[in-house]
């Protein structure tokens, strides 16, 4: 029988030989075992086999080997350790639990019993065994990580042998790896490991330790920390713990960086100003001298390549090389220098570039072949290997930093901003070291990319932190305000990133620089900063849009998208968009052909803000990327015609579409000149086969529709003559409805696309919809009603929302049949199992019931009679049920309840079928007002009760529910934390139009007393943000009090008089302020002038004087006198002010 070839056959033969050796005595089999182990180790270090052996065979060999080698034969024990390490790493074997238990027990016993010279090999075996097996090793953790645990002892800083310490730390790091779905290390073990890794990272290299071993020790510790942060979801909470970790990460981030020597303390502390970058003048000079020497020497060409298996020994540590380098043309550098030459304190690596030196010696990593970051025989090999390992440490530290950022709350992280983000250097002081130092100076492109990734993560979500920055006004103070410090940091970030941009040659790193710039642009408060920052970014990014690497081109568009969406509209960006297309742009970046064919002619005749014949450059570029075929890269013209017709790569087209959508959203007045042309672009995209292109086409359509809607709003700042004419909007939507939009809406395999198309259809201008042809109107309504029955919750939610938009259209809301069909569709969605569908349906139900009120007020009884009683009852019951749902549903359900109860006629109230439903709905509203729901829900509930009070058909007065409603509103107006809810409750209390509807004297006076107390508490708040609403609250309460006085009866006056005697002097200033304040907008959005307020006060005085005269001195009270005194004070103050 032929022997089985390859590693699998070899292993089986070795297994058979090991089995045969079991029968022989110990002494006679030692030599045979040595030879066998040497053969296996040798084979595992050879070339990668075509077919690896099975895990069962590998495990069987290892178990047999351990069984054959007693622990007193230490040379063999050492070889068994090597065998476990090599075989598991080489063949990537996961050991099953039974064999793992046996092998771990053997290794732990060997560590306890064998001499220390064997421990490195045993620990390597242990590291390979526990890799991704942590959850299966639980019972061995006390032996390894307990108080006297073996790994703790061997990784102790006092351990003299660094190689042994490194192997122990590596085993510990492998134990910390998490396995999805499996339990993780206990808290106590996590803490022990974290402290061990921290102490390793804090240690310094001694002279007797070689650089590579020390680098590998640091790498193992960094990987351990990263595993703890990622796998254990470890949250860093304690300041000392965070500060210590960030300090060691900062130290390791610069480990071995040529020409740089920094001192970092054992812990960093949160502070708003730069700290701890204390480089002594001597070290600074040495560093600069070393940099000037190494800019030439470290880039010498090296012909040698990394030897195979150089990192093989690391196995599952995954050591990687420092990355590849590439060439940066001097012409590209010259092209972009305009904005950098005047920058203060340029980084050393780029300063030579800025001085105009283009030789490779003046550029730290330019003009070199990809092999130059590898090991060099000419340089002695070892130095190159050391540099590569040092780069790996820096990369490991940055990867660990990335995990750390995710484990710290942002508000805590930004306390360390100045330790990692550059600030403008002071006069005569050196530039602080930061993440940008690595991005600008590190010789490894991979490390530079890592630093930029970390900086991006730092910037992500920093909008609130950076919002304090301000330098628009020159400050002349004895100290530098924090706002100016942050503004200075933002400026320095812009400067450094643009320097990195002009100096970078690696496409991957270039992509990271541009992404980092996009993150910065998205979060920086440009409206509070001096203009000019965005102009420099704009001008420098233009050439990269035609870069050979598609990822660089995509990220360049992302950056431009960030610029047009940053606090749009910004005056600076507006000017940039209006620039001629040739401004600051090389010929290669020009859009390939004129865009006049698609949208050059605006409906109004010329481009808004652009000279005739000079359309917006960015808009033209994006459209050409989306719709024009890619030019043939071959120069000989021999390419096949089919290749010439291919579009640009899909990611580039998608990004261009996103930029177009953002441009339309932020700068619609500029985009509206190409309104119909952009509509054509959206049409063409929706006609394509690629669903992602269709989706972004639909999103562009939605933004175009929304832009027109915003322009035509009653409160729009755009003058009517500058708006897109309604006739053009009709043409636009006719083109869409005759084009691909109906087909897209029915494209059921792609639910996200249908959803987006639904949203687009809901952005149609109501005035334009009414001018569409009848069949097109019917098509829109039919499509939406049909999609409301979709099985996909995303589509169903979008359709429900769109119906809620359409129900407000004047030409549709008066159609009783459409109202009924829409109501039934919405009620169907309101009972859906998806919370999102129910929330959208509730919003639409609120709109539908708003329509009922509008129709009641405009069409009168004819509409009310046509609407089915059964449908009205269904609306009431469904809204009551929805008011018990989650808050997102509840907030609109209570709004709908208020509207329906307002709409009810006397015949409905008297109908026994309605009685129970009305009572239930009223109780639901009252319960919501006093509940612990969100403030938006309670605000809507107060608004709804106010609506209920407007319906004369509902018996208010002294009905039990009315007493409960007034009591709930009185409680809210006095004590709710949210002032907007208090305002709305005070408004509701002032709605009943007659004294009878307020009920008994006791109830009336309770409402009065509640409002008086509320007025005195109108400045009491724990939340400073609420304070801005206190003036509106006081105005609304004063309005309610005067309303009550205008309705008061004689029986009410004793209690009101008593209240004024007790609190009159306290509330008098508030009433005077109410009379004095002019043009103040009420919560309802209406302005009330002082004359109207004085008339209201005079009306209350006249009403009360009449009642007091009727009483003929009996139980005489001073209510009218109090008001007359207030009015006299007000009149005197007004006369003095006018004089």
């Amino acid at each position: 029988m032929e022997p089985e070839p390859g590693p699998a056959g070899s292993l089986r033969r070795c297994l058979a030989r090991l089995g045969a050796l079991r029968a022989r005595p110990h002494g006679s089999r030692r030599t045979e075992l040595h030879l066998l182990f040497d053969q296996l180790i040798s084979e595992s270090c050879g070339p990668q086999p075509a077919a690896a052996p099975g895990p069962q065979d590998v495990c069987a060999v290892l178990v047999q080997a351990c069984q054959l080698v007693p622990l007193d034969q230490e040379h063999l024990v050492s070889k068994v350790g090597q065998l476990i390490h090599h075989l598991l790493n080489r063949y990537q074997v996961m050991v099953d639990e039974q064999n793992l238990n046996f092998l771990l027990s053997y290794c732990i016993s060997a560590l306890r019993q064998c001499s220390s010279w064997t421990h490195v090999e045993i620990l390597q075996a242990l590291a390979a065994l526990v890799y991704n097996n942590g959850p299966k090793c639980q019972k061995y953790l006390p032996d390894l990580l307990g108080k006297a645990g073996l790994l703790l002892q061997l990784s102790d800083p006092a351990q003299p042998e660094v190689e042994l310490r490194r192997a122990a730390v590596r085993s510990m790091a492998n134990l910390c790896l998490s396995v999805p779905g499996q339990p993780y290390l206990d808290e106590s073990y996590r803490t022990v490991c974290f402290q061990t890794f921290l102490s390793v990272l804090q240690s310094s290299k001694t002279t007797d330790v070689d650089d590579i071993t020390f680098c590998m020790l640091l790498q193992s510790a960094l990987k351990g920390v990263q595993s703890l942060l990622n796998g254990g979801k470890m949250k860093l909470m304690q300041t000392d713990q965070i500060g210590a970790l960030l300090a060691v990460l900062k130290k390791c981030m610069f480990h071995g960086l040529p020409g740089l020597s920094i001192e970092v303390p054992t812990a960093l502390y949160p502070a708003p100003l730069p700290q701890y970058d204390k480089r002594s003048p001597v070290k600074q000079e040495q560093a600069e001298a070393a940099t000037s020497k190494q800019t030439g020497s470290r880039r010498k060409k090296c012909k040698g390549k990394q030897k195979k298996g150089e990192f093989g020994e690391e196995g599952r540590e995954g050591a990687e090389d420092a990355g590849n380098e590439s060439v940066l043309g001097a012409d590209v550098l010259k092209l972009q220098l305009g904005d950098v030459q005047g920058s203060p304190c340029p980084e050393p690596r780029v300063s030579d570039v800025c001085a105009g030196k283009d030789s490779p010696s003046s550029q730290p990593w330019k003009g070199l072949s990809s092999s130059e970051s590898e090991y060099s025989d000419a340089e002695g090999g070892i130095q190159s290997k050391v540099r590569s390992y040092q780069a790996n440490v820096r990369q490991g530290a940055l990867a660990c930093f990335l995990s750390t950022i995710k484990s710290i709350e942002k508000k805590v992280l930004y306390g360390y901003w100045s330790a990692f983000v550059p600030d403008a250097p002071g006069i005569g002081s050196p530039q602080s070291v930061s993440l940008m130092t690595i991005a600008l100076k590190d010789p490894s492109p991979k490390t530079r990319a890592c630093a930029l990734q970390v900086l991006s993560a730092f910037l992500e979500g920093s909008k609130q932190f950076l919002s304090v920055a301000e330098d628009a006004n020159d400050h002349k103070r004895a100290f530098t305000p924090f706002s100016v410090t942050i503004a200075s940091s933002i400026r320095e970030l812009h400067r450094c990133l643009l320097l990195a941009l002009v100096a970078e040659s690696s496409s991957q790193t270039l992509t990271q620089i541009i992404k980092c710039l996009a993150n910065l642009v998205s979060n920086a408060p440009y409206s509070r900063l001096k203009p000019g920052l965005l102009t420099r970014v704009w001008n420098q990014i233009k050439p990269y849009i035609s870069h050979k690497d598609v990822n660089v081109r995509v990220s360049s568009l992302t950056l431009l998208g960030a610029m047009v969406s940053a606090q749009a509209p910004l005056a600076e960006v507006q000017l940039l968009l209006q620039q001629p297309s040739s401004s600051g742009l090389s010929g290669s970046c020009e859009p390939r052909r004129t865009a006049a064919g698609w949208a050059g002619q605006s409906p109004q005749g010329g481009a808004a803000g652009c000279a005739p014949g000079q359309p917006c450059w960015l808009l033209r570029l994006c459209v050409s990327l989306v719709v024009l075929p890619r030019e043939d890269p071959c120069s000989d013209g021999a390419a096949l015609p089919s290749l010439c017709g291919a579009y640009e790569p899909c990611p580039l087209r998608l990004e261009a579409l996103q930029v177009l959508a953002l441009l339309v959203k932020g700068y619609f007045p500029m985009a509206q000149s190409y309104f119909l042309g952009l509509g054509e672009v959206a049409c063409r995209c929706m006609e394509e086969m690629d669903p992602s292109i269709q989706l972004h086409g639909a999103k562009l359509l939605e933004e175009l529709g929304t832009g027109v809607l915003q322009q035509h709003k009653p409160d729009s700042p755009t003058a009517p003559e500058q708006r897109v004419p309604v006739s053009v909007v009709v043409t636009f939507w006719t083109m869409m409805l005759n084009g691909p939009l109906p087909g897209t809406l029915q494209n059921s395999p792609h639910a996200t696309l249908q959803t987006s198309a639904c949203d687009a259809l809901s952005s149609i201008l109501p005035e334009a919809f009414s001018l569409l042809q009848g069949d097109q109107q019917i098509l829109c309504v039919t499509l939406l009603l049909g999609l409301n029955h979709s099985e996909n919750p995303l589509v169903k939610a979008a359709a429900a929302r769109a119906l809620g938009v359409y129900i407000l259209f004047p030409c549709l809301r008066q159609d009783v049949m459409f109202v009924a069909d829409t109501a039934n569709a919405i009620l169907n969605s309101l009972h859906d199992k998806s919370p999102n569908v129910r929330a959208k349906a509730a919003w639409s139900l609120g709109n539908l019931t708003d329509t009922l009120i509008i129709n009641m007020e405009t069409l009168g009884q004819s509409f009310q009679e046509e609407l089915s009683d059964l449908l009205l009852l269904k609306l009431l019951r469904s809204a009551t049920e929805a008011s018990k749902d989650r808050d997102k549903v509840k907030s609109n359900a209570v709004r709908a309840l208020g509207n329906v109860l307002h709409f009810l006629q006397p015949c409905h109230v008297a109908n026994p079928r309605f009685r129970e439903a009305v009572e239930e709905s009223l109780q639901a509203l009252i319960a919501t007002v006093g509940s612990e729901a969100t403030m938006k829900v309670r605000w809507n509930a107060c608004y709804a009760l106010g609506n209920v009070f407007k319906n004369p058909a509902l018996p208010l007065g002294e009905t039990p529910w009315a007493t409960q409603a007034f009591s709930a509103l009185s409680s809210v107006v006095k004590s709710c934390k949210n002032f907007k809810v208090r305002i709305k409750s005070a408004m509701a209390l002032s709605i009943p139009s007659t004294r009878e509807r307020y009920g008994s004297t006791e109830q009336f006076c309770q409402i009065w007393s509640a409002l008086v107390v509320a007025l005195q508490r109108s400045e009491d708040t724990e939340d400073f943000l609420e304070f801005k609403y206190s003036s509106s609250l006081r105005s609304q309460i004063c309005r309610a009090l005067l309303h009550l006085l205008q309705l008061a009866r004689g029986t009410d006056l004793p209690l009101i008089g008593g209240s004024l005697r007790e609190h009159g002097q306290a509330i008098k200033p508030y009433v005077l302020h109410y009379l004095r304040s002019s043009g103040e907008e009420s919560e309802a959005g209406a302005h009330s002038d002082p004359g109207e307020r004085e008339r209201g006060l005079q009306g209350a005085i006249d009403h009360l004087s009449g009642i007091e005269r009727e009483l003929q001195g009996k139980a005489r009270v001073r209510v009218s006198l109090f008001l007359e005194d207030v009015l006299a004070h007000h009149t005197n103050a007004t006369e003095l002010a006018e004089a």
Side-chain angles (χ1 to χ4, degrees):
M1 182 175 154
E2 283 288 321
E4 190 179 347
S10 177
L11 265 184
R12 290 212 178 91
R13 288 193 294 275
C14 288
L15 194 57
R17 286 169 64 187
L18 286 170
L21 286 172
R22 291 178 71 87
R24 291 169 60 178
H26 284 289
S28 63
R29 65 190 183 199
R30 187 180 302 175
T31 307
E32 186 89 19
L33 283 172
H34 273 294
L35 291 170
L36 193 54
F37 291 166
D38 287 342
Q39 181 191 337
L40 281 169
I41 291 168
S42 170
E43 286 176 358
S44 69
C45 293
Q48 188 70 31
Q56 302 87 349
D57 293 339
V58 174
C59 291
V61 166
L62 296 179
V63 170
Q64 282 271 36
C66 291
Q67 288 171 343
L68 287 168
V69 177
L71 296 177
D72 56 356
Q73 295 181 11
E74 293 188 343
H75 279 92
L76 281 174
V77 170
S78 172
K79 283 192 178 175
V80 167
Q82 290 178 50
L83 190 63
I84 294 171
H85 169 65
H86 283 292
L87 287 181
L88 294 184
N89 280 333
R90 180 54 182 264
Y91 302 123
Q92 296 295 299
V93 172
M94 294 300 295
V95 184
D96 61 278
E97 195 162 355
Q98 184 181 347
N99 288 324
L100 181 69
N101 286 335
F102 175 79
L103 294 170
L104 276 178
S105 298
Y106 183 86
C107 288
I108 289 169
S109 300
L111 284 172
R112 292 189 193 281
Q113 296 177 36
C114 296
S115 304
S116 60
W117 69 266
T118 64
H119 287 181
V120 171
E121 284 78 13
I122 299 167
L123 285 169
Q124 286 178 344
L126 186 69
L129 286 166
V130 300
Y131 183 84
N132 269 345
N133 271 327
K136 298 177 190 171
C137 305
Q138 295 293 325
K139 66 179 179 181
Y140 299 102
L141 291 179
D143 292 324
L144 297 170
L145 299 175
K147 285 188 177 177
L150 290 165
L151 294 181
L152 286 188
Q153 291 175 20
L154 295 170
S155 62
D156 191 88
Q159 172 60 244
E161 288 191 42
V162 177
E163 190 60 47
L164 194 55
R165 189 180 177 202
R166 186 192 73 80
V169 171
R170 181 181 164 197
S171 297
M172 196 182 287
N174 283 1
L175 259 178
C176 292
L177 282 168
S178 66
V179 179
Q182 297 291 320
Y184 197 60
L185 288 176
D186 289 341
E187 182 68 33
S188 57
Y189 293 130
R190 271 184 278 176
T191 306
V192 164
C193 291
F194 182 77
Q195 288 304 326
T196 303
F197 299 141
L198 208 56
S199 66
V200 168
L201 295 170
Q202 286 169 339
S203 63
S204 300
K205 188 179 89 68
T206 53
T207 51
D208 59 330
V209 179
D210 70 278
D211 288 320
I212 290 178
T213 304
F214 188 66
C215 284
M216 291 163 77
L217 173 65
L218 293 177
Q219 268 185 278
S220 296
L222 287 166
K223 287 188 179 178
V225 173
Q226 194 177 0
S227 295
L228 283 172
L229 294 172
N230 291 348
K233 301 290 183 286
M234 186 173 174
K235 285 290 175 191
L236 298 167
M237 304 299 285
Q238 299 166 6
T239 305
D240 56 343
Q241 196 182 41
I242 296 169
L245 178 59
L246 291 178
V248 294
L249 290 179
K250 184 165 184 178
K251 186 178 83 166
C252 292
M253 237 152 84
F254 295 103
H255 182 75
L257 186 62
L260 195 69
S261 174
I262 66 163
E263 293 174 13
V264 181
T266 52
L268 296 178
Y269 297 97
L273 298 172
Q275 54 163 356
Y276 303 131
D277 292 326
K278 297 175 181 173
R279 290 181 286 174
S280 62
V282 176
K283 288 190 176 179
Q284 174 70 9
E285 287 169 19
Q286 289 171 351
E288 287 175 358
T291 306
S292 63
K293 286 176 188 174
Q294 290 187 357
T295 47
S297 66
R298 66 179 168 176
R299 298 299 170 203
K300 288 177 185 171
K301 296 208 172 191
C302 53
K303 300 180 176 68
K305 290 193 175 180
Q306 177 192 335
K307 296 181 180 72
K308 284 186 179 176
E310 198 77 60
F311 294 121
E313 186 273 332
E314 277 299 287
R316 301 186 185 197
E317 281 193 5
E320 294 168 299
D321 61 33
N324 298 326
E325 316 291 347
S326 56
V327 181
L328 175 68
D331 56 335
V332 179
L333 278 175
K334 288 175 184 171
L335 175 70
Q336 300 173 60
L337 294 182
D339 291 301
V340 233
Q341 284 176 336
S343 300
C345 300
E347 297 289 341
R349 186 177 70 77
V350 189
S351 58
D352 291 333
V353 178
C354 295
K357 299 176 186 175
D358 294 324
S359 64
S361 64
S362 69
Q363 302 169 37
W365 63 77
K366 305 301 167 258
L368 304 174
S369 71
S370 62
S371 66
E372 288 171 313
S373 63
E374 312 294 346
Y375 306 151
S376 165
D377 294 332
E379 288 184 358
I382 189 69
Q383 285 303 315
S384 189
K385 188 175 180 182
V386 167
R387 283 201 297 274
S388 183
Y389 272 96
Q390 288 172 339
N392 285 333
V393 170
R394 297 197 295 276
Q395 288 161 26
L398 290 163
C400 193
F401 195 177
L402 205 55
S403 299
T404 305
I405 288 172
K406 294 170 185 173
S407 303
I408 301 177
E409 282 187 66
K410 285 285 185 182
K411 63 181 180 183
V412 176
L413 178 69
Y414 291 135
Y416 301 92
W417 175 272
S418 59
F420 296 99
V421 180
D423 188 16
I427 298 169
S429 62
Q431 175 77 52
S432 60
V433 293
S434 66
L435 287 163
M436 278 312 309
T437 310
I438 303 170
L440 285 160
K441 292 182 178 178
D442 202 292
S444 158
K446 186 172 180 183
T447 314
R448 298 197 296 272
C450 286
L452 290 157
Q453 267 186 300
V454 173
L455 184 56
S456 265
F458 226 101
L459 289 168
E460 202 170 326
S462 62
K463 187 173 282 186
Q464 189 175 353
F465 172 69
L466 296 180
S467 66
V468 301
E470 184 171 21
D471 71 350
N473 302 313
D474 291 328
H475 73 95
K476 294 177 180 176
R477 303 178 194 172
F479 65 95
T480 304
F482 182 64
S483 59
V484 175
T485 302
I486 296 298
S488 165
S489 186
I490 292 171
R491 288 192 167 278
E492 185 65 5
L493 266 175
H494 279 81
R495 186 184 78 83
C496 290
L497 284 167
L498 290 178
L499 279 173
L501 188 71
V502 302
E504 189 54 68
S505 62
S506 160
S507 294
Q508 291 85 353
T509 312
L510 205 51
T511 304
Q512 286 301 331
I513 292 170
I514 299 170
K515 283 182 179 177
C516 200
L517 268 169
N519 238 335
L520 174 60
V521 167
S522 298
N523 290 288
Y526 292 101
S527 55
R528 296 166 60 92
L529 302 173
K530 288 177 185 171
L533 288 176
L534 286 171
T535 303
R536 286 194 280 278
V537 176
W538 181 275
N539 290 334
Q540 292 224 48
I541 200 60
K542 279 184 173 182
Y544 292 93
I545 292 159
S546 58
H547 195 274
K548 63 184 178 183
D549 187 284
V550 72
N551 291 319
V552 174
R553 297 177 72 193
V554 170
S555 56
S556 300
L557 283 173
T558 305
L559 174 54
L560 287 166
M563 291 175 75
V564 295
S565 61
Q567 297 126 48
L570 283 174
E572 184 178 355
V573 175
Q574 195 121 17
L575 288 171
L576 291 170
L577 290 168
Q578 290 170 4
Q579 283 180 358
S581 60
S582 57
S583 175
L585 183 65
S586 69
S588 63
C589 302
E590 287 278 1
R592 294 184 301 281
R593 61 201 74 171
T594 179
W598 64 269
Q601 299 304 315
S602 72
Q604 291 87 357
C610 297
Q614 286 289 352
C616 171
W617 166 80
L618 181 58
L619 195 140
R620 191 163 65 115
L621 168 78
C622 291
V623 169
S624 66
L625 289 172
V626 172
V627 302
L628 297 182
R630 179 171 49 194
E631 283 194 341
D632 177 23
C634 305
S635 57
D636 59 2
L640 294 172
S642 60
L643 293 176
C644 297
Y647 285 117
E648 292 285 359
C650 189
L652 196 64
R653 298 180 70 208
L654 291 175
E655 201 61 45
L657 278 167
Q658 287 193 62
V659 175
L660 275 177
L662 291 169
L663 186 61
V664 169
K665 184 177 183 178
Y667 298 87
F668 186 77
M670 185 160 291
Q672 77 179 70
S673 301
Y674 317 101
F675 184 64
L676 291 177
L678 288 169
E680 286 177 30
V681 173
C683 266
R684 284 181 63 170
C685 290
M686 287 191 288
E687 284 167 352
E688 289 196 26
M689 297 302 292
D690 187 337
S692 57
I693 297 287
Q694 290 178 300
L695 175 66
H696 283 80
K699 287 187 181 297
L700 175 59
L701 172 58
E702 184 189 353
E703 290 299 349
L704 287 164
T706 305
V708 172
L709 276 175
Q710 296 294 332
Q711 256 195 0
H712 284 262
K713 274 187 173 179
D715 57 351
S716 168
T718 311
E721 64 275 8
Q722 292 178 342
R723 299 173 185 176
V724 178
V726 175
S727 59
V728 174
V729 184
V730 172
T731 306
F732 176 88
W733 282 105
T734 302
M735 173 173 66
M736 294 300 152
L737 293 167
N738 289 337
L741 186 57
T744 306
L745 282 161
Q746 295 172 76
N747 191 350
S748 54
H750 300 288
T752 313
L753 178 58
Q754 275 185 297
T755 303
S756 202
C758 235
D759 292 338
L761 194 60
S762 70
S763 68
I764 189 168
L765 185 71
E767 293 91 327
F769 184 88
S770 63
L771 296 174
L772 288 174
Q773 293 178 7
D775 58 340
Q776 289 178 329
Q777 292 184 2
I778 293 167
L779 174 65
C780 292
V781 171
T782 307
L783 283 169
L784 291 178
L785 287 169
L787 288 172
N788 196 71
H789 296 285
S790 169
E791 291 180 5
N792 186 286
L794 286 174
V795 178
K796 192 168 184 176
R801 181 192 166 277
L803 285 170
V805 172
Y806 275 46
I807 197 68
L808 296 174
F809 287 4
C811 62
L812 289 177
R813 70 179 178 221
Q814 296 175 7
D815 182 341
V816 177
M817 290 306 295
F818 174 73
V819 171
D821 288 344
T822 303
N824 284 315
I826 290 169
L827 291 178
N828 168 268
S829 294
L830 201 60
H831 296 102
D832 196 86
K833 62 183 179 184
S834 163
N836 186 41
V837 172
R838 296 200 304 276
K840 299 292 185 190
W843 179 80
S844 294
L845 183 64
N847 285 4
L848 184 135
T849 54
D850 284 344
T851 294
L852 297 184
I853 302 302
I854 295 168
N855 286 343
M856 180 178 76
E857 291 168 354
T858 55
L859 302 178
Q861 204 162 350
S862 60
F863 179 84
Q864 290 167 302
E865 288 171 356
E866 283 184 56
L867 195 69
S868 156
D869 285 2
L870 185 61
L871 178 60
L872 205 56
L873 189 59
K874 277 170 70 178
L875 286 173
L876 196 60
R877 284 178 175 156
S878 294
T880 305
E881 193 63 34
S883 71
K884 299 166 188 170
D885 204 332
R886 58 182 66 196
D887 283 355
K888 282 190 176 180
V889 179
K890 190 184 291 187
S891 63
N892 284 298
V894 293
R895 174 164 74 102
L897 272 181
N899 283 331
V900 175
L901 289 167
H902 182 190
F903 184 82
L904 293 179
Q905 302 307 300
C907 60
H908 300 130
V909 177
N911 190 329
R913 283 197 306 169
F914 273 83
R915 195 169 299 141
E916 186 184 347
V918 168
E919 184 64 34
E920 278 183 25
S921 59
L922 286 165
Q923 290 302 328
L925 275 183
I926 294 163
T928 307
V929 168
S931 70
E932 292 299 316
T934 59
M935 296 309 164
K936 183 179 178 182
V937 173
R938 296 179 74 185
W939 187 95
N940 272 336
C942 292
Y943 173 81
L945 274 181
N947 259 343
V948 172
F949 293 165
K950 289 177 185 176
N951 189 347
L954 287 170
L956 200 52
E958 296 182 24
T959 56
W961 67 263
T963 304
Q964 292 170 336
F966 285 130
S967 175
L969 290 168
S970 299
S971 173
V972 167
V973 81
K974 288 188 292 185
S975 59
C976 183
K977 289 180 182 178
N978 186 285
F979 276 22
K980 290 180 84 173
V981 177
R982 287 201 211 181
I983 292 167
K984 193 52 71 176
S985 61
M987 196 177 286
L989 287 170
S990 66
I991 282 176
S993 54
T994 62
R995 173 62 188 82
E996 289 72 25
R997 291 181 67 75
Y998 279 103
S1000 67
T1001 297
E1002 184 186 2
Q1003 188 165 289
F1004 183 85
C1005 291
Q1006 281 174 353
I1007 295 168
W1008 167 272
S1009 299
L1011 288 167
V1012 168
V1013 171
L1015 189 58
Q1016 293 175 84
R1017 293 180 183 174
S1018 60
E1019 291 179 356
D1020 300 347
T1021 177
E1022 296 173 7
D1023 186 353
F1024 181 74
L1025 294 174
E1026 292 299 322
F1027 197 75
K1028 63 183 176 182
Y1029 300 113
S1030 60
S1031 178
S1032 296
L1033 174 60
R1034 286 193 291 275
S1035 294
Q1036 189 57 56
I1037 293 173
C1038 288
R1039 197 174 289 118
L1041 286 170
L1042 288 177
H1043 176 72
L1044 290 178
L1045 290 173
Q1046 287 170 351
L1047 300 177
R1049 295 173 178 158
T1051 53
D1052 304 326
L1053 295 188
L1055 283 168
I1056 293 174
S1059 168
L1060 287 175
R1061 274 195 299 275
E1062 189 176 347
H1063 303 289
Q1065 291 308 308
I1067 66 171
K1068 184 177 176 181
Y1070 296 128
V1071 180
L1072 283 169
H1073 182 269
Y1074 165 71
L1075 294 171
R1076 235 182 2 255
S1077 53
S1078 60
E1080 187 181 84
E1081 193 174 322
S1082 73
E1083 228 279 331
H1087 290 271
S1088 56
D1089 66 284
E1092 186 185 332
R1093 296 179 181 193
E1094 286 173 28
R1095 287 191 292 277
L1097 178 61
Q1098 188 62 58
I1101 292 170
D1102 295 344
H1103 172 71
L1104 292 169
S1105 298
I1107 293 174
E1108 288 166 0
R1109 277 196 301 274
E1110 285 176 18
L1111 291 172
Q1112 298 175 350
K1114 294 175 185 175
R1116 177 77 176 171
V1117 287
R1118 299 175 54 80
V1119 178
S1120 62
L1121 292 180
F1122 171 80
L1123 295 181
E1124 285 167 3
D1125 183 42
V1126 169
L1127 185 58
H1129 266 81
H1130 172 66
T1131 307
N1132 292 338
T1134 306
E1135 287 171 356
L1136 282 171
E1138 289 172 354

